[in-house]
Amino acid sequence: MSSISDGTSNGSDSKKLRVEDRMEAPPSRVLHIRKLPNETSETEVIALGLPFGKVTNILTLKGKNQAFLELGTEEAAITMVNYYSTVTPHVRNVPVFIQYSNHKELKTDAGNQRAQAVLQAVSAVQGGGTPTSGSDLALTAASSPVLRIIIDNMFYPVTLDVLQQIFSKFGTVMKIITFTKNNQFQALLQFNDPSTAQQAKIALDGQNIYNSCCTLRIDYSKLVNLNVKYNNDKSRDYTRPELPAGDGQPAMDPNMAAAFQGKDSNSLLAGTPALTSDLSPGALSPLNAAAAAAAAAGRVALSGHSGSSGVLLASNLNEEMVTPQSLFTLFGVYGDTQRVKILYNKKDSALIQMADASQAQLAMSHLNGQKMYGKVIRVALSKHTSVQLPRDGLDDQGLTKDFTNSPLHRFKKPGSKNFQNIFPPSTTLHLSNIPTDVTEEDLRLLFSNAGGTVNAFKFFQDHKMALLQMSTVEEAIQGLIDLHNYNMGDNHHLRVSFSKSSI
């Protein structure tokens, strides 16, 4: 049983905890947090207080969706309350309420050891240290050193190297394998021992890598050892830097491979922002978060590039089929494509200029390795900083197009909902701006004629939007290229994007 001491009791630490009334209490280092979402973890509550100073205790009342958080000093608690009086705190995108508690101290018994373990581990992450291990954490040893990680709400790309930076705070990361399953980015990560894996899971499950997005969902894997065959941007064995890169995958720079043999692999990503909590002071803005992801990806996966360019090089294109317009439409799913140039002497390659480096990184992350017109395309950052237009009077056979003022840019409006709906290519397409007289059969026929098989279809309630599932991702890509902005009549232009849903 946990109890609260108000500092004036006669030694009875077992008096029943009573929920705070809403009357304003004087400043106290114990804060009362209300209206938490169901299943809120201790980690998420602690994250609210970490930016303001040391968090010394926590008590959650899960049945009441409330918690008590004790900070190291009253001054830290005052700073936290003052800050959140102007910026509404959120947990899992739900607003919560924070006020002073009537109590001056939290006292918790041995039954609260899990919360203490979380507190110690998360504090170590915030402070840049390594959580201690041993009996003081009272952790039950996990059976596997391998964690399965799913990234929810992946608005910005999460690279293998970002995961390594975050998880290495807890101990030695041995191996990582990343993959996409059910249209979600996932990873298997192996520590050197099960107890380290458990500490990382307790501390990081439910945390956001970047502000309000890229949420870590962590479970134990049934595997006890990962078999990594290649060192590239999809998989890495840090104990074997000599492994080949594999077919068509970017290899590690030799200097990076040598660095991995050193003890402090964390230094590889020194300076890249680590885990942040929603609405914490200094948390990454969306633009900086994308830039940080681009920088992190550029350290190893794109050796030789700084990650600052907004120009991409797409290669292994089908030169008989590809056009500047088709590349504009596909890459425009992930940013506002400004210019496209198919190379005159190498028509299976093209330069694509995005609005900024973060958009270039997003497009590269999602499109590298996808099939377009029957060929697996390769997308990398270019050494060029812009795409040059042909000189006046020079006919380049339509290989260069300027889309700077295109009305089809998806992200030109600040705060557009399109920012929340960026997903990897998938078999399921989201259709919108559908005229009311268009039927399911009309849309099935339209996408079938674009090439491929429509496996499933579902209208939304208002019939202005729908989900349509093709048989392969390549067919979905083809359908998007051909039919995004298709005129359905009466000036209704169909909007097509990739969906994370399935039908």
Side-chain angles (χ1 to χ4, degrees):
M1 168 102 186
S2 299
S3 63
I4 291 182
S5 167
D6 61 6
T8 59
S9 64
N10 59 3
S12 173
D13 288 333
S14 60
K15 73 178 183 178
K16 274 194 171 182
L17 179 67
R18 53 187 179 79
V19 177
E20 306 284 347
D21 58 32
R22 302 197 181 185
M23 194 185 217
E24 179 135 2
S28 164
R29 67 190 185 102
V30 178
L31 301 177
H32 179 208
I33 303 169
R34 298 184 290 113
K35 296 196 174 180
L36 290 164
N38 293 330
E39 307 304 323
T40 298
S41 67
E42 287 94 342
T43 303
E44 291 168 300
V45 177
I46 292 168
L48 292 170
L50 280 175
F52 305 95
K54 185 177 181 181
V55 178
T56 51
N57 213 342
I58 179 175
L59 182 63
T60 56
L61 308 175
K62 294 194 174 179
K64 298 181 180 293
N65 300 91
Q66 300 183 23
F68 291 90
L69 195 68
E70 179 186 276
L71 277 75
T73 65
E74 189 173 293
E75 290 74 14
I78 292 172
T79 302
M80 179 174 168
V81 170
N82 288 343
Y83 176 78
Y84 286 133
S85 66
T86 57
V87 178
T88 303
H90 287 72
V91 174
R92 300 192 182 190
N93 296 319
V94 174
V96 299
F97 297 87
I98 300 175
Q99 63 191 54
Y100 297 117
S101 168
N102 288 320
H103 305 284
K104 301 300 181 185
E105 182 181 6
L106 277 179
K107 287 191 177 180
T108 52
D109 60 18
N112 203 37
Q113 284 178 323
R114 180 184 180 279
Q116 292 302 308
V118 175
L119 183 61
Q120 185 166 351
V122 176
S123 296
V125 173
Q126 181 76 6
T130 301
T132 58
S133 60
S135 58
D136 58 322
L137 292 183
L139 294 176
T140 305
S143 59
S144 172
V146 179
L147 297 175
R148 182 172 67 94
I149 303 158
I150 297 175
I151 309 294
D152 278 347
N153 192 23
M154 198 169 103
F155 182 56
Y156 298 113
V158 175
T159 66
L160 179 148
D161 301 294
V162 168
L163 292 176
Q164 191 272 343
Q165 181 203 14
I166 293 169
F167 282 82
S168 63
K169 297 275 187 184
F170 297 85
T172 303
V173 175
M174 311 289 283
K175 305 171 186 178
I176 305 177
I177 297 173
T178 64
F179 55 96
T180 299
K181 185 178 180 182
N182 298 327
N183 295 329
Q184 282 189 308
F185 178 83
Q186 302 190 27
L188 294 170
L189 183 145
Q190 181 177 338
F191 279 106
N192 58 333
D193 62 74
S195 62
T196 304
Q198 185 170 28
Q199 291 178 24
K201 178 185 182 301
I202 289 173
L204 298 178
D205 187 26
Q207 285 281 66
N208 293 333
I209 297 175
Y210 300 120
N211 215 13
S212 301
C213 65
C214 300
T215 306
L216 293 164
R217 304 295 181 203
I218 305 171
D219 286 310
Y220 298 113
S221 170
K222 294 178 181 178
L223 301 173
V224 293
N225 185 54
L226 298 180
N227 181 22
V228 177
K229 296 180 179 179
Y230 304 113
N231 281 338
N232 52 43
D233 59 348
K234 304 293 185 187
S235 62
R236 191 76 50 78
D237 186 338
Y238 295 95
T239 67
R240 300 180 64 197
E242 76 283 357
L243 286 177
D247 182 33
Q249 291 287 351
M252 279 198 298
D253 184 284
N255 296 327
M256 290 296 181
F260 279 126
Q261 293 174 313
K263 292 181 180 180
D264 187 14
S265 61
N266 218 23
S267 63
L268 286 173
L269 293 173
T272 302
L275 201 71
T276 63
S277 302
D278 285 354
L279 296 177
S280 61
L284 293 172
S285 69
L287 182 60
N288 289 337
R299 299 296 179 90
V300 173
L302 300 164
S303 57
H305 294 296
S306 66
S308 60
S309 172
V311 179
L312 297 167
L313 173 65
S315 57
N316 200 41
L317 301 170
N318 185 331
E319 58 184 273
E320 301 296 327
M321 302 284 291
V322 73
T323 64
Q325 181 67 44
S326 64
L327 291 171
F328 164 79
T329 302
L330 180 58
F331 282 75
V333 174
Y334 301 105
D336 292 337
T337 308
Q338 304 295 299
R339 293 175 179 177
V340 178
K341 178 189 286 290
I342 295 175
L343 303 186
Y344 185 83
N345 293 320
K346 192 172 172 52
K347 291 186 173 63
D348 70 345
S349 299
L351 293 173
I352 300 150
Q353 182 177 336
M354 307 301 288
D356 56 42
S358 61
Q359 292 184 4
Q361 174 63 34
L362 277 173
M364 179 180 63
S365 171
H366 289 308
L367 295 177
N368 181 41
Q370 296 292 343
K371 255 190 169 184
M372 178 185 183
Y373 297 130
K375 300 192 73 172
V376 176
I377 65 172
R378 299 298 172 199
V379 184
L381 290 178
S382 169
K383 64 183 178 182
H384 297 281
T385 56
S386 64
V387 170
Q388 298 299 315
L389 297 175
R391 293 192 300 274
D392 288 343
L394 181 66
D395 179 16
D396 76 339
Q397 303 174 8
L399 297 177
T400 305
K401 293 289 183 184
D402 186 356
F403 298 99
T404 304
N405 297 315
S406 172
L408 299 180
H409 286 160
R410 296 178 188 247
F411 307 101
K412 61 183 178 181
K413 292 182 181 178
S416 165
K417 288 185 178 180
N418 291 333
F419 285 100
Q420 280 84 48
N421 293 294
I422 299 176
F423 304 110
S426 65
T427 56
T428 305
L429 296 172
H430 180 273
L431 315 180
S432 60
N433 204 34
I434 302 170
T436 54
D437 60 344
V438 170
T439 67
E440 175 180 337
E441 287 306 313
D442 293 332
L443 290 167
R444 280 180 175 268
L445 182 61
L446 186 65
F447 279 83
S448 295
N449 289 340
T453 303
V454 177
N455 282 354
F457 183 93
K458 179 183 178 183
F459 263 123
F460 285 61
Q461 194 168 9
D462 60 3
H463 275 227
K464 293 180 181 178
M465 295 188 290
L467 294 177
L468 180 143
Q469 187 172 321
M470 304 298 290
S471 60
T472 67
V473 174
E474 182 184 4
E475 289 178 3
I477 288 175
Q478 182 68 52
L480 182 143
I481 290 172
D482 289 350
L483 297 172
H484 177 63
N485 199 46
Y486 182 83
N487 190 347
M488 302 290 293
D490 295 330
N491 208 29
H492 278 83
H493 291 268
L494 188 66
R495 298 287 180 255
V496 185
S497 57
F498 298 114
S499 173
K500 67 175 180 179
S501 304
S502 57
I503 304 174

